[in-house]
Amino acid sequence: DVLFVIVRRPQGAPRPIAAKRIDHPTFPVSYEITNADVMVQGSELRGMVDVVARLDRDGQAGPAQPGDIEGRYAKNPTLPGGHDLEIILDTVKN
């Protein structure tokens, strides 16, 4: 399994602006997403963002597939640079 922690714009396209891939996670997982994790080189993490996580069964990036488990930071949207953003994986995709 692979854990993806994904940062998106709250009102924007569903594609991520940044993501962190964590292979074979052991929970609880600590993570940090920085400008080094942005998807488009030269972009920066700024402005309000949504932070979500997905435990991906097949390890492939892309849209969630049946059996993947997702969760969202309860206080989305948030500003980049926050600490202790707890995400509970609580939704199994059908």
Coordinates of all heavy atoms in Angstrom, one line a residue:
D1 N 0.8 -1.2 0.0 CA 0.0 0.0 0.0 C 0.9 1.2 0.0 O 2.0 1.2 0.5 CB -0.9 0.0 1.2 CG -1.9 -1.1 1.2 OD1 -2.2 -1.6 0.1 OD2 -2.5 -1.3 2.3
V2 N 0.3 2.3 -0.5 CA 1.0 3.6 -0.6 C 0.0 4.7 0.0 O -1.1 4.7 -0.4 CB 1.4 4.0 -2.0 CG1 1.9 5.4 -2.1 CG2 2.4 3.0 -2.6
L3 N 0.6 5.5 0.8 CA -0.2 6.7 1.3 C 0.2 7.9 0.5 O 1.4 8.2 0.4 CB 0.1 6.9 2.8 CG -0.7 8.1 3.4 CD1 -2.1 7.8 3.5 CD2 -0.1 8.3 4.8
F4 N -0.8 8.6 0.0 CA -0.6 9.8 -0.7 C -1.2 10.9 0.1 O -2.4 10.8 0.5 CB -1.3 9.8 -2.1 CG -0.6 8.9 -3.1 CD1 -1.2 7.7 -3.4 CD2 0.5 9.3 -3.8 CE1 -0.6 6.9 -4.4 CE2 1.1 8.5 -4.7 CZ 0.5 7.3 -5.0
V5 N -0.5 11.9 0.5 CA -1.0 13.1 1.1 C -1.0 14.2 0.0 O 0.0 14.5 -0.6 CB -0.1 13.6 2.3 CG1 -0.7 14.8 3.0 CG2 0.0 12.5 3.3
I6 N -2.2 14.7 -0.2 CA -2.5 15.5 -1.4 C -2.9 16.9 -1.0 O -3.8 17.1 -0.1 CB -3.5 14.8 -2.3 CG1 -3.0 13.4 -2.7 CG2 -3.8 15.7 -3.6 CD1 -4.1 12.5 -3.1
V7 N -2.4 17.9 -1.7 CA -2.8 19.3 -1.5 C -3.5 19.8 -2.7 O -2.9 19.7 -3.8 CB -1.6 20.2 -1.1 CG1 -2.0 21.7 -0.9 CG2 -0.9 19.7 0.2
R8 N -4.7 20.4 -2.6 CA -5.5 20.9 -3.7 C -6.0 22.3 -3.4 O -6.1 22.6 -2.2 CB -6.7 20.0 -4.0 CG -6.3 18.6 -4.5 CD -7.6 17.9 -4.8 NE -7.3 16.6 -5.3 CZ -7.7 15.4 -4.8 NH1 -8.5 15.4 -3.7 NH2 -7.4 14.3 -5.3
R9 N -6.4 23.0 -4.4 CA -7.1 24.3 -4.2 C -8.5 24.0 -3.9 O -9.2 23.1 -4.5 CB -7.1 25.1 -5.5 CG -5.7 25.6 -5.8 CD -5.3 26.8 -5.0 NE -3.9 27.1 -5.3 CZ -3.0 27.4 -4.4 NH1 -3.3 27.4 -3.1 NH2 -1.7 27.7 -4.7
P10 N -9.1 24.6 -2.9 CA -10.5 24.3 -2.4 C -11.5 24.5 -3.6 O -12.4 23.7 -3.7 CB -10.8 25.3 -1.3 CG -9.4 25.9 -0.9 CD -8.5 25.7 -2.0
Q11 N -11.4 25.5 -4.4 CA -12.4 25.8 -5.4 C -11.8 25.5 -6.8 O -12.5 25.8 -7.8 CB -12.8 27.2 -5.3 CG -13.4 27.6 -4.0 CD -14.7 26.9 -3.7 OE1 -15.5 26.6 -4.5 NE2 -14.9 26.5 -2.4
G12 N -10.6 24.9 -6.9 CA -10.0 24.8 -8.2 C -10.2 23.4 -8.8 O -11.1 22.6 -8.3
A13 N -9.4 23.1 -9.8 CA -9.5 21.8 -10.4 C -9.1 20.7 -9.4 O -8.4 20.9 -8.5 CB -8.5 21.8 -11.6
P14 N -9.6 19.5 -9.6 CA -9.3 18.4 -8.7 C -7.9 17.9 -8.7 O -7.5 17.2 -7.8 CB -10.3 17.3 -9.1 CG -10.6 17.6 -10.5 CD -10.5 19.1 -10.7
R15 N -7.1 18.4 -9.7 CA -5.7 17.9 -9.7 C -4.9 18.5 -8.6 O -5.2 19.6 -8.2 CB -5.1 18.2 -11.1 CG -5.0 19.7 -11.4 CD -4.2 19.9 -12.7 NE -4.5 21.2 -13.2 CZ -4.0 22.4 -12.7 NH1 -3.4 22.4 -11.6 NH2 -4.3 23.5 -13.3
P16 N -4.0 17.7 -8.0 CA -3.2 18.2 -6.9 C -2.2 19.3 -7.3 O -1.7 19.4 -8.4 CB -2.4 17.0 -6.4 CG -2.7 15.9 -7.4 CD -3.7 16.4 -8.4
I17 N -2.0 20.2 -6.3 CA -0.9 21.2 -6.6 C 0.4 20.7 -5.9 O 1.5 21.1 -6.3 CB -1.3 22.6 -6.1 CG1 -1.6 22.6 -4.6 CG2 -2.4 23.2 -6.9 CD1 -1.8 24.0 -4.0
A18 N 0.2 19.8 -5.0 CA 1.4 19.2 -4.3 C 1.0 17.8 -3.8 O -0.2 17.6 -3.5 CB 2.0 20.0 -3.2
A19 N 2.0 16.9 -3.7 CA 1.7 15.6 -3.1 C 2.9 15.0 -2.5 O 4.0 15.2 -3.0 CB 1.1 14.7 -4.2
K20 N 2.7 14.1 -1.5 CA 3.8 13.4 -0.9 C 3.4 11.9 -1.0 O 2.3 11.5 -0.6 CB 3.9 13.8 0.6 CG 4.9 13.0 1.4 CD 6.3 13.4 1.1 CE 6.7 14.7 1.7 NZ 8.0 15.2 1.5
R21 N 4.3 11.1 -1.4 CA 4.1 9.6 -1.5 C 4.9 9.0 -0.4 O 6.1 9.2 -0.2 CB 4.6 9.1 -2.9 CG 4.5 7.6 -3.0 CD 5.2 7.2 -4.3 NE 5.2 5.7 -4.4 CZ 4.4 5.0 -5.2 NH1 3.6 5.7 -6.0 NH2 4.5 3.7 -5.2
I22 N 4.2 8.1 0.4 CA 4.8 7.4 1.5 C 4.5 5.9 1.3 O 3.4 5.4 1.4 CB 4.2 7.9 2.8 CG1 4.4 9.4 3.0 CG2 4.8 7.1 4.0 CD1 3.6 10.0 4.1
D23 N 5.6 5.2 0.9 CA 5.5 3.8 0.6 C 5.4 3.0 1.9 O 6.1 3.3 2.9 CB 6.7 3.3 -0.2 CG 6.7 3.9 -1.6 OD1 5.6 3.8 -2.3 OD2 7.7 4.3 -2.0
H24 N 4.6 2.0 2.0 CA 4.4 1.0 3.1 C 4.3 1.8 4.4 O 5.1 1.6 5.3 CB 5.6 0.1 3.1 CG 5.9 -0.5 1.8 ND1 5.1 -1.4 1.2 CD2 7.0 -0.4 1.0 CE1 5.6 -1.8 0.1 NE2 6.8 -1.2 -0.1
P25 N 3.3 2.7 4.6 CA 3.2 3.5 5.8 C 2.9 2.6 7.0 O 2.3 1.6 6.9 CB 2.0 4.4 5.5 CG 1.1 3.6 4.5 CD 2.1 2.8 3.7
T26 N 3.4 3.1 8.1 CA 3.1 2.6 9.4 C 2.4 3.7 10.2 O 3.0 4.8 10.4 CB 4.4 2.1 10.2 OG1 5.1 1.2 9.4 CG2 4.1 1.5 11.5
F27 N 1.2 3.4 10.7 CA 0.4 4.5 11.3 C 0.6 4.6 12.8 O 0.9 3.5 13.4 CB -1.1 4.2 11.0 CG -1.4 4.3 9.5 CD1 -1.4 3.2 8.7 CD2 -1.6 5.5 8.9 CE1 -1.6 3.3 7.3 CE2 -1.9 5.7 7.6 CZ -1.9 4.5 6.8
P28 N 0.6 5.8 13.4 CA 0.3 7.0 12.7 C 1.5 7.5 11.9 O 2.7 7.1 12.2 CB 0.0 8.0 13.8 CG 0.8 7.4 15.0 CD 0.8 5.9 14.8
V29 N 1.3 8.2 10.8 CA 2.3 8.7 9.9 C 2.6 10.2 10.1 O 1.6 11.0 10.1 CB 1.9 8.4 8.4 CG1 2.9 9.0 7.5 CG2 1.7 7.0 8.2
S30 N 3.8 10.6 10.2 CA 4.2 12.0 10.2 C 4.5 12.3 8.8 O 5.2 11.6 8.1 CB 5.4 12.2 11.1 OG 5.0 12.0 12.5
Y31 N 4.1 13.5 8.4 CA 4.4 14.0 7.0 C 4.7 15.5 7.0 O 4.3 16.2 7.9 CB 3.3 13.7 6.1 CG 2.0 14.4 6.4 CD1 1.7 15.6 5.8 CD2 1.1 13.9 7.3 CE1 0.6 16.3 6.1 CE2 -0.1 14.6 7.6 CZ -0.3 15.8 7.0 OH -1.5 16.5 7.3
E32 N 5.4 15.9 6.0 CA 5.6 17.3 5.8 C 5.6 17.6 4.3 O 6.2 16.8 3.5 CB 7.0 17.8 6.3 CG 7.3 19.2 6.1 CD 8.6 19.7 6.7 OE1 9.6 18.8 6.7 OE2 8.8 20.8 7.0
I33 N 4.8 18.5 3.9 CA 4.7 18.9 2.5 C 5.3 20.3 2.3 O 4.9 21.2 3.0 CB 3.3 18.8 1.9 CG1 2.8 17.4 2.0 CG2 3.2 19.3 0.5 CD1 1.4 17.2 1.6
T34 N 6.3 20.4 1.4 CA 6.9 21.7 1.2 C 6.9 22.1 -0.3 O 6.3 21.3 -1.1 CB 8.4 21.6 1.6 OG1 9.1 20.7 0.7 CG2 8.6 21.1 3.1
N35 N 7.5 23.2 -0.6 CA 7.5 23.6 -2.0 C 8.3 22.5 -2.9 O 8.1 22.5 -4.1 CB 8.2 25.0 -2.2 CG 7.2 26.1 -1.8 OD1 6.0 26.0 -1.9 ND2 7.8 27.1 -1.2
A36 N 9.1 21.7 -2.3 CA 9.7 20.6 -3.1 C 8.8 19.6 -3.5 O 9.1 18.8 -4.4 CB 10.8 20.0 -2.2
D37 N 7.5 19.6 -3.0 CA 6.5 18.6 -3.3 C 5.5 19.1 -4.4 O 4.6 18.3 -4.7 CB 5.8 18.1 -2.1 CG 6.8 17.5 -1.1 OD1 7.5 16.5 -1.5 OD2 6.8 17.9 0.1
V38 N 5.7 20.3 -4.8 CA 4.7 20.8 -5.8 C 4.8 20.1 -7.1 O 5.9 19.6 -7.5 CB 4.8 22.3 -6.0 CG1 4.6 23.1 -4.7 CG2 6.2 22.7 -6.6
M39 N 3.7 20.0 -7.8 CA 3.6 19.2 -9.0 C 4.1 20.0 -10.3 O 4.6 19.3 -11.2 CB 2.2 18.8 -9.3 CG 1.5 18.1 -8.1 SD 2.3 16.5 -7.7 CE 1.7 15.5 -8.9
V40 N 4.1 21.3 -10.2 CA 4.5 22.1 -11.3 C 5.8 22.9 -10.9 O 5.7 23.7 -10.0 CB 3.4 23.1 -11.8 CG1 4.0 24.0 -12.9 CG2 2.2 22.3 -12.3
Q41 N 6.9 22.6 -11.5 CA 8.1 23.2 -11.1 C 8.0 24.7 -11.1 O 7.5 25.3 -12.1 CB 9.3 22.7 -12.0 CG 10.6 23.1 -11.5 CD 11.7 22.5 -12.3 OE1 11.6 22.1 -13.4 NE2 12.9 22.4 -11.7
G42 N 8.5 25.4 -10.1 CA 8.4 26.8 -10.0 C 7.2 27.3 -9.3 O 7.1 28.5 -9.0
S43 N 6.2 26.4 -9.0 CA 5.1 26.8 -8.2 C 5.4 26.8 -6.7 O 6.4 26.3 -6.3 CB 3.9 25.8 -8.4 OG 3.5 25.8 -9.8
E44 N 4.6 27.5 -6.0 CA 4.7 27.6 -4.5 C 3.4 27.2 -3.8 O 2.4 27.5 -4.4 CB 5.2 29.0 -4.1 CG 6.6 29.4 -4.6 CD 6.9 30.7 -4.0 OE1 6.2 31.4 -3.3 OE2 8.0 31.2 -4.4
L45 N 3.6 26.7 -2.6 CA 2.4 26.5 -1.8 C 2.1 27.8 -1.1 O 2.8 28.3 -0.3 CB 2.7 25.4 -0.7 CG 2.9 24.0 -1.2 CD1 3.4 23.1 -0.1 CD2 1.5 23.5 -1.7
R46 N 0.9 28.4 -1.5 CA 0.5 29.6 -0.8 C -1.0 29.7 -1.1 O -1.6 29.1 -1.9 CB 1.2 30.8 -1.3 CG 1.1 31.0 -2.8 CD 1.9 32.2 -3.2 NE 2.1 32.1 -4.7 CZ 2.6 33.1 -5.4 NH1 2.9 34.2 -4.9 NH2 2.7 32.9 -6.7
G47 N -1.6 30.5 -0.2 CA -3.1 30.7 -0.3 C -3.8 29.5 0.4 O -3.1 28.6 0.9
M48 N -5.1 29.5 0.4 CA -5.8 28.5 1.1 C -5.8 27.2 0.3 O -5.8 27.2 -1.0 CB -7.3 28.9 1.3 CG -7.5 30.1 2.1 SD -6.8 30.0 3.8 CE -8.1 29.0 4.6
V49 N -5.7 26.1 1.0 CA -5.6 24.7 0.4 C -6.4 23.7 1.2 O -6.7 23.9 2.3 CB -4.1 24.2 0.3 CG1 -3.3 25.1 -0.6 CG2 -3.5 24.1 1.7
D50 N -6.8 22.7 0.5 CA -7.4 21.5 1.1 C -6.3 20.4 1.2 O -5.5 20.2 0.2 CB -8.6 20.9 0.3 CG -9.8 21.7 0.4 OD1 -9.9 22.6 1.4 OD2 -10.7 21.5 -0.4
V51 N -6.3 19.7 2.3 CA -5.3 18.6 2.5 C -6.1 17.3 2.7 O -7.0 17.2 3.5 CB -4.4 18.9 3.7 CG1 -3.4 17.7 3.8 CG2 -3.7 20.2 3.6
V52 N -5.8 16.4 1.8 CA -6.5 15.1 1.9 C -5.4 14.0 1.9 O -4.3 14.2 1.5 CB -7.5 14.9 0.7 CG1 -8.6 15.9 0.8 CG2 -6.8 14.9 -0.6
A53 N -5.8 12.8 2.3 CA -4.9 11.6 2.2 C -5.7 10.4 1.6 O -6.9 10.3 1.8 CB -4.4 11.3 3.6
R54 N -4.9 9.6 1.0 CA -5.5 8.4 0.4 C -4.5 7.2 0.6 O -3.4 7.3 0.2 CB -5.8 8.5 -1.1 CG -6.4 7.3 -1.7 CD -6.9 7.5 -3.1 NE -5.7 7.5 -4.0 CZ -5.4 8.6 -4.8 NH1 -6.1 9.7 -4.8 NH2 -4.3 8.5 -5.6
L55 N -5.0 6.1 1.2 CA -4.3 4.9 1.2 C -4.7 4.1 0.0 O -5.8 3.7 -0.2 CB -4.6 4.1 2.5 CG -3.8 2.8 2.7 CD1 -2.3 3.2 2.9 CD2 -4.3 2.0 3.9
D56 N -3.7 4.0 -0.9 CA -4.0 3.5 -2.3 C -3.5 2.1 -2.3 O -2.4 1.8 -2.1 CB -3.2 4.4 -3.3 CG -3.7 4.2 -4.7 OD1 -3.4 3.1 -5.3 OD2 -4.3 5.1 -5.2
R57 N -4.5 1.2 -2.6 CA -4.2 -0.2 -2.6 C -3.2 -0.7 -3.7 O -2.5 -1.6 -3.5 CB -5.5 -1.0 -2.7 CG -6.6 -0.6 -1.7 CD -6.1 -0.7 -0.3 NE -5.9 -2.1 0.0 CZ -5.7 -2.5 1.2 NH1 -5.6 -1.7 2.2 NH2 -5.5 -3.8 1.5
D58 N -3.3 -0.1 -4.9 CA -2.4 -0.5 -6.0 C -1.2 0.3 -6.1 O -0.3 0.0 -7.0 CB -3.2 -0.6 -7.3 CG -3.7 0.8 -7.8 OD1 -3.3 1.8 -7.3 OD2 -4.4 0.8 -8.8
G59 N -1.1 1.4 -5.3 CA 0.1 2.2 -5.4 C 0.3 3.2 -6.6 O 1.3 3.8 -6.7
Q60 N -0.8 3.2 -7.4 CA -0.7 4.1 -8.6 C -1.3 5.5 -8.3 O -2.4 5.6 -7.7 CB -1.5 3.4 -9.7 CG -1.0 2.1 -10.1 CD 0.4 2.1 -10.7 OE1 0.7 3.0 -11.5 NE2 1.2 1.2 -10.2
A61 N -0.6 6.5 -8.6 CA -1.1 7.9 -8.5 C -2.3 8.0 -9.5 O -2.4 7.3 -10.5 CB 0.0 8.9 -8.8
G62 N -3.2 8.9 -9.2 CA -4.3 9.2 -10.0 C -5.6 9.1 -9.2 O -5.5 9.1 -7.9
P63 N -6.7 9.1 -9.8 CA -8.0 9.1 -9.1 C -8.1 7.9 -8.2 O -7.6 6.8 -8.5 CB -9.1 9.1 -10.2 CG -8.4 9.6 -11.4 CD -7.0 9.2 -11.3
A64 N -8.9 8.1 -7.1 CA -9.1 6.9 -6.2 C -9.9 5.8 -6.9 O -10.7 6.0 -7.8 CB -10.0 7.4 -5.0
Q65 N -9.5 4.6 -6.6 CA -10.1 3.4 -7.1 C -10.8 2.6 -6.0 O -10.6 2.8 -4.9 CB -9.0 2.5 -7.7 CG -8.1 3.1 -8.8 CD -8.9 3.5 -10.0 OE1 -9.7 2.7 -10.5 NE2 -8.8 4.7 -10.5
P66 N -11.8 1.7 -6.4 CA -12.5 1.0 -5.4 C -11.5 0.3 -4.5 O -10.5 -0.3 -4.9 CB -13.3 -0.1 -6.2 CG -13.5 0.6 -7.6 CD -12.2 1.4 -7.8
G67 N -11.8 0.4 -3.2 CA -10.9 -0.2 -2.1 C -10.0 0.7 -1.5 O -9.4 0.5 -0.4
D68 N -9.7 1.9 -2.2 CA -8.8 2.9 -1.6 C -9.6 3.5 -0.4 O -10.8 3.6 -0.4 CB -8.5 4.0 -2.6 CG -7.6 3.5 -3.7 OD1 -7.0 2.3 -3.6 OD2 -7.4 4.2 -4.7
I69 N -8.8 4.0 0.6 CA -9.4 4.6 1.7 C -8.9 6.1 1.8 O -7.7 6.3 1.7 CB -9.0 3.9 3.0 CG1 -9.3 2.4 2.9 CG2 -9.6 4.5 4.3 CD1 -8.7 1.5 4.0
E70 N -9.9 7.0 2.0 CA -9.5 8.4 2.0 C -9.9 9.1 3.3 O -10.8 8.6 4.0 CB -10.2 9.1 0.8 CG -9.7 8.7 -0.6 CD -10.3 9.5 -1.7 OE1 -11.5 9.9 -1.6 OE2 -9.6 9.8 -2.6
G71 N -9.3 10.3 3.5 CA -9.7 11.1 4.6 C -9.3 12.5 4.3 O -8.5 12.8 3.4
R72 N -9.9 13.5 5.0 CA -9.7 14.9 4.8 C -9.3 15.6 6.1 O -9.8 15.1 7.2 CB -10.9 15.6 4.3 CG -11.5 15.0 3.0 CD -12.8 15.7 2.6 NE -12.6 17.0 2.3 CZ -12.1 17.5 1.1 NH1 -11.7 16.6 0.2 NH2 -12.0 18.8 0.9
Y73 N -8.5 16.6 6.1 CA -8.3 17.4 7.3 C -9.6 18.1 7.6 O -10.2 18.7 6.8 CB -7.1 18.4 7.0 CG -6.9 19.4 8.1 CD1 -6.6 18.9 9.4 CD2 -6.9 20.7 7.9 CE1 -6.3 19.7 10.4 CE2 -6.6 21.6 8.9 CZ -6.3 21.1 10.2 OH -6.1 22.0 11.2
A74 N -10.0 17.9 8.9 CA -11.3 18.4 9.3 C -11.5 19.9 9.2 O -12.6 20.4 9.1 CB -11.6 17.9 10.7
K75 N -10.4 20.7 9.2 CA -10.5 22.1 9.2 C -10.1 22.7 7.8 O -9.7 23.9 7.7 CB -9.6 22.7 10.3 CG -10.1 22.3 11.7 CD -9.2 22.9 12.7 CE -9.7 22.4 14.1 NZ -8.8 22.9 15.2
N76 N -10.3 21.9 6.7 CA -10.1 22.4 5.4 C -11.1 23.5 5.1 O -12.2 23.4 5.6 CB -10.3 21.3 4.3 CG -9.1 20.4 4.1 OD1 -8.0 20.8 4.4 ND2 -9.3 19.2 3.6
P77 N -10.7 24.5 4.4 CA -9.4 24.8 3.8 C -8.5 25.4 4.9 O -9.0 26.0 5.9 CB -9.6 25.8 2.7 CG -10.9 26.5 3.1 CD -11.7 25.5 3.9
T78 N -7.2 25.3 4.7 CA -6.2 25.8 5.7 C -5.1 26.5 4.9 O -5.0 26.4 3.7 CB -5.7 24.6 6.5 OG1 -4.9 25.1 7.6 CG2 -4.9 23.6 5.7
L79 N -4.2 27.1 5.6 CA -3.0 27.8 5.0 C -1.8 26.8 5.1 O -1.7 26.1 6.0 CB -2.7 29.0 5.8 CG -3.6 30.2 5.5 CD1 -3.3 31.3 6.5 CD2 -3.5 30.7 4.1
P80 N -1.0 26.8 4.0 CA 0.2 26.0 4.1 C 1.1 26.4 5.3 O 1.0 27.6 5.7 CB 0.9 26.4 2.8 CG -0.2 26.8 1.9 CD -1.2 27.5 2.8
G81 N 1.9 25.5 5.8 CA 2.7 25.8 6.9 C 2.2 25.4 8.2 O 2.8 25.5 9.3
G82 N 0.9 24.9 8.2 CA 0.3 24.4 9.5 C 1.0 23.2 10.1 O 1.7 22.5 9.4
H83 N 0.8 23.0 11.3 CA 1.4 21.9 12.1 C 0.3 21.0 12.6 O -0.8 21.5 12.9 CB 2.3 22.4 13.2 CG 3.5 23.2 12.7 ND1 4.6 22.6 12.2 CD2 3.7 24.5 12.6 CE1 5.5 23.6 11.9 NE2 4.9 24.7 12.0
D84 N 0.6 19.8 12.8 CA -0.3 18.8 13.4 C -1.6 18.7 12.7 O -2.7 18.7 13.3 CB -0.5 19.1 14.9 CG 0.8 19.1 15.7 OD1 1.7 18.2 15.4 OD2 1.0 20.0 16.5
L85 N -1.6 18.7 11.4 CA -2.8 18.5 10.6 C -3.2 17.0 10.6 O -2.6 16.2 9.9 CB -2.7 19.0 9.2 CG -2.9 20.5 9.0 CD1 -1.8 21.3 9.6 CD2 -3.0 20.8 7.5
E86 N -4.1 16.6 11.5 CA -4.4 15.2 11.6 C -5.5 14.9 10.6 O -6.5 15.6 10.5 CB -5.0 14.9 13.0 CG -5.4 13.5 13.2 CD -5.8 13.2 14.7 OE1 -5.0 13.3 15.5 OE2 -7.0 13.0 14.9
I87 N -5.3 13.8 9.9 CA -6.2 13.3 8.9 C -6.6 11.9 9.3 O -5.7 11.0 9.4 CB -5.6 13.3 7.5 CG1 -5.2 14.7 7.1 CG2 -6.6 12.7 6.5 CD1 -4.4 14.8 5.8
I88 N -7.9 11.6 9.4 CA -8.3 10.2 9.7 C -8.9 9.6 8.4 O -9.7 10.2 7.8 CB -9.4 10.3 10.8 CG1 -8.8 10.9 12.1 CG2 -10.0 8.9 11.0 CD1 -9.8 11.1 13.2
L89 N -8.3 8.5 8.0 CA -8.8 7.8 6.8 C -10.1 7.1 7.2 O -10.0 6.1 8.0 CB -7.7 6.8 6.4 CG -6.3 7.4 6.0 CD1 -5.3 6.3 5.7 CD2 -6.5 8.3 4.9
D90 N -11.2 7.6 6.7 CA -12.5 7.1 7.1 C -13.5 6.8 6.0 O -14.6 6.4 6.3 CB -13.1 8.1 8.1 CG -13.3 9.4 7.5 OD1 -13.0 9.7 6.4 OD2 -13.8 10.3 8.3
T91 N -13.1 6.9 4.8 CA -14.0 6.7 3.7 C -13.4 5.7 2.7 O -12.4 5.9 2.1 CB -14.3 8.0 2.9 OG1 -14.8 8.9 3.9 CG2 -15.3 7.8 1.9
V92 N -14.1 4.5 2.5 CA -13.6 3.5 1.6 C -14.3 3.8 0.2 O -15.6 3.9 0.2 CB -13.9 2.1 2.0 CG1 -13.5 1.1 1.0 CG2 -13.3 1.8 3.4
K93 N -13.5 3.9 -0.8 CA -14.1 4.2 -2.2 C -14.7 2.9 -2.7 O -14.2 1.8 -2.6 CB -13.0 4.7 -3.1 CG -12.4 6.0 -2.7 CD -13.5 7.1 -2.5 CE -13.4 8.1 -3.6 NZ -14.4 9.2 -3.4
N94 N -15.9 3.1 -3.3 CA -16.6 2.0 -3.9 C -16.4 1.9 -5.4 O -16.2 2.8 -6.1 CB -18.1 2.1 -3.7 CG -18.5 1.9 -2.2 OD1 -17.9 1.2 -1.5 ND2 -19.4 2.7 -1.8

